[in-house]
Every structure is written in C-alpha cells, then in structure tokens.
Amino acid sequence: MSLRQHIATLVDGQPYRHALFYKLPGGLRFRMAEGGEHFACVLTAVRKATVVCEDVFAGTDTILVHLQSYATPNRFDLRLTLRQLEMAGVTLPRARDIWAEPAPRDFPGDDDNWWANALFELPKSSLASLLWCAFATNMWELRPNPHCQVYLINPATGLTVHPYDDRGMDVVGTSHEALRQIYSAHYAWLFEYDLDTMDRHFAIPPPA
C-alpha cells in the first residue's frame, strides 16, 4: 500500500483537507495566536502547537507529512516553494509520493492551475520547522515561507493535524480515545467559538 493510499484509510476514505474540524465531525480546533505583530503571532503559534503535537506524536520518532501547494502552469512557483522549504530545514526525502490534482473550479485564476501534493516521512525533530512553514503561510512578508498547506499525520493513532494559519490548528482522526486525551490535556487552548460542540462530543465536564 502506498503512503497516499494509507492516509485515506486514516479518515475512513473521507477527503480530509481544508477546514478539517467542520468536514470531519468529532475533532478538535485549537486557538493559536494571541495577538501582536506577525512575527510574534507565528512564534506563539509554533510554541503552543509544539506542545499539542508532542502529545499527538508521543511514542513515535517520525511524522508523516503531507504538503499541498498551489501551482500555475509555468511550474516556477514550485521551485520557489522547494527553495523556501529547504531554507526552513525541510528537505523532501527520496522516498515520497508526489501527485497533482486540478484546483477547484471556484479557485480564482487560470483553469490550468493545479494542486501539487507531496507525502513523505520526516523525523519528529523537524516538527518546529514544519509548524513555522504552516503558520507563516499567510504572512507574505515573513521568510522562510513556502506558502503551502501542511498536514501532519500519526499513522499509529490515526490522528491528522492541520495548522491552517497563525490563528488556529485542527486535530482530527478516527480514534475517539486519542482525541479525548488531547482534548483533556489542552482544554484551555480550544477555540471558544466551537467549544460547545467539542464539549458535547466528548461528554466530559470542563476541568475545574
């Protein structure tokens, strides 16, 4: 089974990308940034997300990484993405799955634009670099910045982490118990807007 086929089994074959908390009910949504200028927001997000991800990836030495980048027909933007990834300390290994898929029809721009996907394993020591790339994605003035979506997957527990920008991070998966443990350990950082939904799903009173 290829890595690409394997990740589909982790979410019961459902499309897991973008707005994971709303597409896959039963997940978690964390508040990351706490105000301030752009650089400080990203650093705060990286710090908090690292704490959560240390629990998500406890007991494993590697992270399954899925990167998705928007690309135009000239492909030059992908070279820029790879260069920025390398500057951030993220180098794609030889063992990887790479594929392309059309951009959604409602995506602005030329109909020939597409999404480039790369799936590969990295050591857990790469976590901070990956989180920086994820949280800086909408901060055009920050570098390094590959401007790509970053999904971090723990195949052993079936949990997928999507740090979507400096504001927040989703954690979803098919293991209710694994999610419940993350919910309990990091309750203070859950997004207030969606807290009632998470409380109802996990049926545990808020900590005192």
Side-chain angles (χ1 to χ4, degrees):
M1 179 184 293
S2 70
L3 291 176
R4 183 180 175 185
Q5 291 171 322
H6 182 57
I7 60 172
T9 69
L10 300 179
V11 290
D12 290 337
Q14 299 298 315
Y16 68 88
R17 284 165 288 172
H18 312 300
L20 301 191
F21 178 79
Y22 298 110
K23 286 188 175 180
L24 299 171
L28 303 171
R29 173 158 279 204
F30 289 95
R31 181 188 69 255
M32 293 288 102
E34 299 176 354
E37 53 88 21
H38 290 172
F39 185 73
C41 284
V42 173
L43 287 182
T44 298
V46 170
R47 175 181 59 82
K48 293 170 67 175
T50 299
V51 174
V52 175
C53 286
E54 285 293 338
D55 284 346
V56 172
F57 295 99
T60 182
D61 295 325
T62 60
I63 298 173
L64 185 57
V65 182
H66 180 184
L67 302 182
Q68 186 182 62
S69 180
Y70 181 69
T72 56
N74 64 24
R75 312 297 192 259
F76 180 73
D77 35 17
L78 286 181
R79 291 196 290 273
L80 294 178
T81 294
L82 290 172
R83 188 179 305 163
Q84 291 294 312
L85 284 169
E86 290 179 356
M87 289 176 61
V90 178
T91 301
L92 273 64
R94 290 179 180 270
R96 62 202 184 199
D97 281 356
I98 295 179
W99 72 97
E101 56 192 45
R105 291 185 178 180
D106 58 351
F107 201 91
D110 194 294
D111 290 340
D112 291 333
N113 293 345
W114 50 295
W115 290 111
N117 297 272
L119 186 67
F120 50 89
E121 285 188 322
L122 285 181
K124 195 164 64 173
S125 58
S126 302
L127 179 60
S129 295
L130 291 164
L131 290 172
W132 170 272
C133 292
F135 289 127
T137 187
N138 291 333
M139 306 289 191
W140 290 89
E141 65 273 34
L142 294 184
R143 294 290 186 276
N145 194 343
H147 298 296
C148 61
Q149 296 295 315
V150 179
Y151 303 90
L152 309 174
I153 304 160
N154 183 343
T157 61
L159 296 185
T160 297
V161 179
H162 181 209
Y164 52 86
D165 59 31
D166 68 294
R167 295 168 298 170
M169 180 176 77
D170 291 343
V171 182
V172 302
T174 55
S175 174
H176 180 85
E177 178 58 25
L179 287 167
R180 188 193 65 77
Q181 292 178 15
I182 303 298
Y183 162 91
S184 299
H186 305 289
Y187 188 89
W189 289 343
L190 294 174
F191 247 123
E192 293 88 347
Y193 181 80
D194 298 299
L195 194 54
D196 287 346
T197 299
M198 290 181 276
D199 286 342
R200 286 196 303 270
H201 185 83
F202 291 99
I204 296 177

